Structures are given as structure tokens and as C-alpha cells.
Amino acid sequence: MGKFKKTQKFGKKKRQLSTSDPRLIKKTTELTKRKLEGRKLLHRAAKPRTPATAAAAAAAAAAPVARGSSNNALVKHVPQASSALFFQFNTQLGPPYHVLLDTNFINFAIQNKIEIVKGMMDCLFAKCVPIITDCVMGELEKMGPLFRVALRIVRDPRFERLPCAHKGTYADDCLVQRVSLHRCYIVATCDKDLKRRIRKIPGVPIMYITQRKFSVERMPDAVGNLPRM
């Protein structure tokens, strides 16, 4: 069979929008509004100023911005620096160290066959108190029977339980919020995203696993310090 040749259609019209189309009406109304606003501005600029009006305008410009006004976006709210910090040095950190544990840190410690309390003491050469928040415990319970070893370790009496009063059960947000309020903790995690978030908070050390042992970042006094991986 030969190729089917398509004949060209003649007398074909281009489609046009009707004048009553709502899209055209919307555009025309917007243009008219802009023109009216431009005319009002020109009229105000051309209007001659009396000494009284000029003084009133200067007083309005010099007046401070009210809290309830629409210019609230100009006001900058700088967060208050923690009283525990002396520049980047955290004065609240000291033995016994309180370490907030993340879910993946516990799992990686089991994979690398490291006892958590002993590994922390070998890293910091001081007494360490591992702390589990309600959010981390909830995450471990949701993971199912595969992580029953982690649950058994976490229920050890040497581990302290910290109750959560905030909304939501996301462990990363819980740890970041806890650390930003109180700078007396070390955060133990292997999560890159959580590390990035905690590095933005000054004076909070990060404990992680490298070469089958624990190491601390941003804490120069620790003997187990190694270059950041």
C-alpha cells in the first residue's frame, strides 16, 4: 500500500475569543484599575503642598512604626542569645554529660556492636547519661519487631526518659526544639539532615559513629575527637 496523503484544508478560520469571554473581562478590569491608581498618584504628586501638610507628612515619616500597623514586615525580630554561651563556648556543658539519642544512632550502635554507655564514656572520659525522648521511643515502637533489640536496650534503667509536651511526634523536630531551648545537651545522631540543622545552633556538640567508635564534633576537650566525616 502507498502512503496516505493528507489533503490541506482550505478556508479554515483561526479561533478567536468572543468579547463576552470572562478572561477578557478580567484583563480589562485589571487594566482599568491600574490606570485609575496611576491617575490618583499623579494627581496627588501635582497637588501643591501647604506648609501645614508638609509638616504633617514629615511627622508621619519620623513617627515609629506601630505594632498593629501594616508596616510590621519592616521590624526585625532577632532571637536572644543564650546566657550559657561565651562566644561559641558553652559553659553549661560538663560532666556528667547528658546525651540526647536519636533513633538511627541506636540502630547504628547495634550494627557496629558498640555498647552505648561504655562507648560514650570511652569517648568523653566522664560519666554520661543517655536520654530518650518520648518521640524517639515512639519511632522505635512503630518500627516493629525487627528493632526489638533497640527497644530492649533503650528500656535499660541507666537510660533516662524525657517526656515531650509539644505537638507532633517527629523526632528530629523534637531534638532541635529541645536543644535550642536548653544548651546543656549533646545530640547523638548519624542523620545528615539533623546534623545540618543542629550545626546552625551554636554551642551544641554532635556525637556520631566513625571507625566503629563514638566521636564528638564541636567539642575540643573530648579525647575521642576525630576529623568530621
Side-chain angles (χ1 to χ4, degrees), residues 149-199:
V149 179
L151 270 171
R152 196 182 297 166
I153 289 166
V154 162
R155 284 170 183 156
D156 192 293
R158 293 177 293 176
F159 286 64
E160 275 190 17
R161 186 75 178 268
L162 204 63
C164 297
H166 58 82
K167 291 180 182 178
T169 56
Y170 187 48
D172 289 9
D173 291 343
C174 171
L175 294 173
V176 170
Q177 186 184 353
R178 185 82 62 176
V179 161
S180 54
L181 288 172
H182 310 287
R183 305 291 170 91
C184 58
Y185 298 112
I186 299 169
V187 180
T189 182
C190 296
D191 189 5
K192 286 183 180 178
D193 294 330
L194 182 58
K195 278 184 186 180
R196 200 179 296 115
R197 287 174 71 180
I198 290 167
R199 279 176 196 139

Side-chain angles (χ1 to χ4, degrees), residues 10-57:
F10 294 98
K12 199 175 180 181
K13 276 190 174 183
K14 286 186 178 179
R15 290 184 182 181
Q16 290 182 349
L17 291 170
S18 64
T19 52
S20 60
D21 195 283
R23 288 174 285 182
L24 280 176
I25 293 163
K26 191 179 177 182
K27 280 185 180 179
T28 50
T29 50
E30 282 178 2
L31 285 168
T32 49
K33 277 182 184 177
R34 284 178 189 172
K35 282 178 183 177
L36 284 168
E37 283 174 5
R39 282 175 188 173
K40 282 178 183 177
L41 288 168
L42 287 168
H43 181 68
R44 282 177 191 170
K47 196 176 178 181
R49 276 191 174 187
T50 58
T53 53

Side-chain angles (χ1 to χ4, degrees), residues 102-122:
D102 191 20
T103 316
N104 56 17
F105 185 85
I106 300 160
N107 295 330
F108 277 115
I110 293 163
Q111 284 177 22
N112 289 293
K113 298 177 181 178
I114 306 167
E115 192 188 340
I116 292 173
V117 179
K118 187 177 178 297
M120 286 176 182
M121 289 177 74
D122 289 344

